[in-house]
Amino acid sequence: MAKPAYLTTEVESFRTAFRRFLQAEVVPHLETWEAAERTPREFWLAMGRHGYLCPWLDPAFGGSGAEFGYSVIICEELGRTGFMGLQTGVSVHSDITVPYLVQLAGEEEKRRWLPGCATGETVTAIGMTEPEVGSDLAQLRATAVREGDEWVINGQKTFISNGIESDLIVLAVRTDAGADQAHRGVSLIVVESDTPGYVKSRQLKKLGQHIQDTAELFFEDCRVPVGNLLGAEGQGFRYLMANLQRERLMISVAAQAAAEQVLEKALSYARERRAFGKSVGSFQHNAFKLVERATEVELGRTFLDSVIDEYVAGEDIGRKVSMAKWWLSDMANRVAYDAVQIHGGYGYMAEYPVARDYVDVRAMPIYAGSNEIMKRILARTLGLGDDEA
Ligand SMILES: Cc1cc2nc3c(=O)[nH]c(=O)nc-3n(C[C@H](O)[C@H](O)[C@H](O)COP(=O)(O)OP(=O)(O)OC[C@H]3O[C@@H](n4cnc5c(N)ncnc54)[C@H](O)[C@@H]3O)c2cc1C
């Protein structure tokens, strides 16, 4: 089969260089960082030093102006370390949050914020979800009220990736409580971590992805300059929906990479582990399970590569990326489930990498728009929309 267009020779050589970097500067520390439940700043700075954060960013702001393929490789290879939270943290920064700053911040703010995003001195997060509002984002309750040259923010956000480590957060807030439709009252505002009234309340204990922090945040009469508003007032929901395509694409990339590396582990264990005088993979039930998963992994790769190529070509991938996000993240979970089973008791032991894979991939069907929300979007494209929202 022809190679996808985004995988150029340069992008493939970049993969080799990036793997070498990971082996030398990241892999030796992964167990320590996982146990500490935090990716330390030294990781971000090392990534930044080598140009691996926001590689697509304009060189004027410290990036390399690299094609999208480079971001795909970074996401895949971080996931292939077997510590998937690492990929989540970097994607939230490089591929999800910083694009809002580039597209929507004023020139002065860009000059202030962006160079640090490339070096790792400024780590970013995005705050949409609240304790009472997740999928139905238009109903968010955090408010920002304009007073003179400032926005005064009040409210709470939860489940925020990089929430503790970040220096800057793009916050979705309600700026017009009286808007005729709830989503029209939403705006995006940047809050820097040292702003009085911004309280990083606590790091949440998660099922998996321990290596990266997820936090609960409070905003109590938190004042930021009016220049911290991103784009136009009341357009925040529209900006979020437009950018979620890229976010869902990156989760699809992460899910596929996870499925591939977990399948490899399952296959190699199935060939080596012996029971009743044979390898456990030679029992037909196990072999068929692994054949089914291998088929899905292959199908996933083909579909994903075609969606990436369409994205790079500037096509609207809204429908296909919703399909990719739900199907690939569910598929990665099926692979992880079977991988644990094929490992028997060892698969349930935390010291075995498949045990971590199993809990790490579990978040993928939930975040970036849950898989049910993906199906809701797709149902509408099939003329099966409900009457809600
Ligand atoms: C590890 C992790 C990291 C995260 N990082 C971030 C982050 O950085 N920033 C951020 O803002 N958020 C983040 N989130 C939050 C995540 O985006 C939300 O959890 C997700 O959108 C679901 O919202 P909810 O948890 O409120 O679930 P709810 O909206 O309460 O939904 C509960 C269940 O009902 C289903 N459901 C809801 N509505 C429908 C419907 N109409 N039809 C069918 N089923 C429906 C959902 O799919 C889900 O299964 C993160 C979450 C996790 C787990």
Side-chain angles (χ1 to χ4, degrees):
M1 206 192 72
K3 271 208 323 186
Y6 77 90
L7 269 188
T8 58
T9 314
E10 293 75 34
V11 166
E12 283 293 10
S13 331
F14 171 75
R15 186 195 296 279
T16 311
F18 187 55
R19 271 188 189 167
R20 214 175 298 129
F21 158 79
L22 289 175
Q23 284 305 322
E25 299 197 34
V26 174
V27 171
H29 308 291
L30 288 172
E31 293 285 359
T32 313
W33 298 346
E34 174 92 349
E37 303 203 352
R38 195 76 161 270
T39 316
R41 191 53 62 108
E42 67 186 88
F43 164 78
W44 294 95
L45 294 173
M47 288 281 288
R49 214 166 31 246
H50 293 273
Y52 299 144
L53 294 176
C54 316
W56 50 271
L57 191 61
D58 191 318
F61 297 116
S64 321
E67 303 148 23
F68 184 64
Y70 288 79
S71 303
V72 172
I73 299 296
I74 290 170
C75 176
E76 284 185 357
E77 294 302 321
L78 286 173
R80 285 200 179 116
T81 60
F83 291 77
M84 292 169 205
L86 212 54
Q87 171 277 320
T88 302
V90 170
S91 262
V92 162
H93 171 76
S94 292
D95 304 305
I96 297 167
T97 314
V98 179
Y100 288 103
L101 305 180
V102 172
Q103 291 160 24
L104 302 166
E107 285 310 311
E108 190 194 319
E109 286 75 18
K110 281 188 198 174
R111 278 195 296 277
R112 196 162 85 236
W113 293 327
L114 292 176
C117 294
T119 60
E121 286 158 299
T122 304
V123 172
T124 64
I126 181 146
M128 299 176 275
T129 310
E130 301 179 356
E132 303 296 330
V133 179
S135 304
D136 193 5
L137 194 57
Q139 305 303 326
L140 63 85
R141 296 173 183 184
T143 57
V145 176
R146 180 141 180 194
E147 283 185 15
D149 288 342
E150 293 177 323
W151 288 103
V152 185
I153 303 168
N154 279 286
Q156 188 182 347
K157 296 287 171 184
T158 196
F159 307 149
I160 307 306
S161 306
N162 300 342
I164 302 290
E165 188 64 25
S166 58
D167 307 284
L168 175 163
I169 184 164
V170 170
L171 213 56
V173 286
R174 184 163 302 289
T175 46
D176 181 0
D180 55 346
Q181 287 177 300
H183 70 270
R184 295 224 172 98
V186 174
S187 300
L188 301 183
I189 296 184
V190 171
V191 183
E192 289 166 89
S193 285
D194 52 5
T195 312
Y198 177 9
V199 182
K200 295 180 174 185
S201 167
R202 70 190 169 108
Q203 179 166 341
L204 300 166
K205 286 275 175 200
K206 298 196 293 277
L207 180 66
Q209 300 204 7
H210 298 299
I211 200 163
Q212 172 268 336
D213 84 77
T214 305
E216 184 179 66
L217 311 170
F218 287 89
F219 301 86
E220 297 161 354
D221 288 330
C222 176
R223 289 173 177 270
V224 299
V226 282
N228 283 25
L229 177 75
L230 292 178
E233 189 180 334
Q235 293 298 308
F237 198 77
R238 191 167 65 80
Y239 301 143
L240 289 170
M241 291 306 113
N243 280 275
L244 277 170
Q245 284 202 9
R246 184 173 170 136
E247 176 169 359
R248 287 167 188 163
L249 184 54
M250 295 317 286
I251 307 251
S252 305
V253 169
Q256 178 64 31
E260 287 170 0
Q261 59 106 351
V262 178
L263 178 68
E264 278 166 29
K265 286 177 198 157
L267 287 171
S268 106
Y269 192 84
R271 288 184 200 112
E272 281 161 25
R273 175 74 175 175
R274 297 185 72 77
F276 300 95
K278 295 175 172 178
S279 68
V280 294
S282 67
F283 299 117
Q284 193 183 54
H285 173 83
N286 294 341
F288 280 15
K289 277 269 176 222
L290 290 171
V291 165
E292 287 166 16
R293 298 295 82 81
T295 306
E296 291 182 326
V297 166
E298 194 87 25
L299 287 170
R301 172 50 68 191
T302 309
F303 182 51
L304 175 65
D305 280 347
S306 74
V307 181
I308 297 173
D309 273 349
E310 287 178 23
Y311 177 74
V312 172
E315 291 173 35
D316 179 0
I317 57 161
R319 195 175 67 91
K320 285 194 186 167
V321 83
S322 303
M323 291 178 171
K325 196 271 169 181
W326 85 256
W327 194 81
L328 293 172
S329 61
D330 272 6
M331 185 268 285
N333 274 274
R334 284 193 293 278
V335 174
Y337 182 92
D338 286 346
V340 167
Q341 192 68 15
I342 209 86
H343 278 73
Y346 291 104
Y348 201 68
M349 296 300 126
E351 67 200 73
Y352 264 67
V354 281
R356 186 175 49 246
D357 296 332
Y358 182 68
V359 288
D360 279 3
V361 295
R362 189 61 190 88
M364 293 178 180
I366 298 171
Y367 52 35
S370 70
N371 286 3
E372 290 73 29
I373 295 303
M374 295 304 100
K375 290 175 190 174
R376 193 163 174 244
I377 293 168
L378 289 163
R380 285 204 206 103
T381 71
L382 297 173
L384 305 171
D386 53 34
D387 295 331
E388 305 161 41

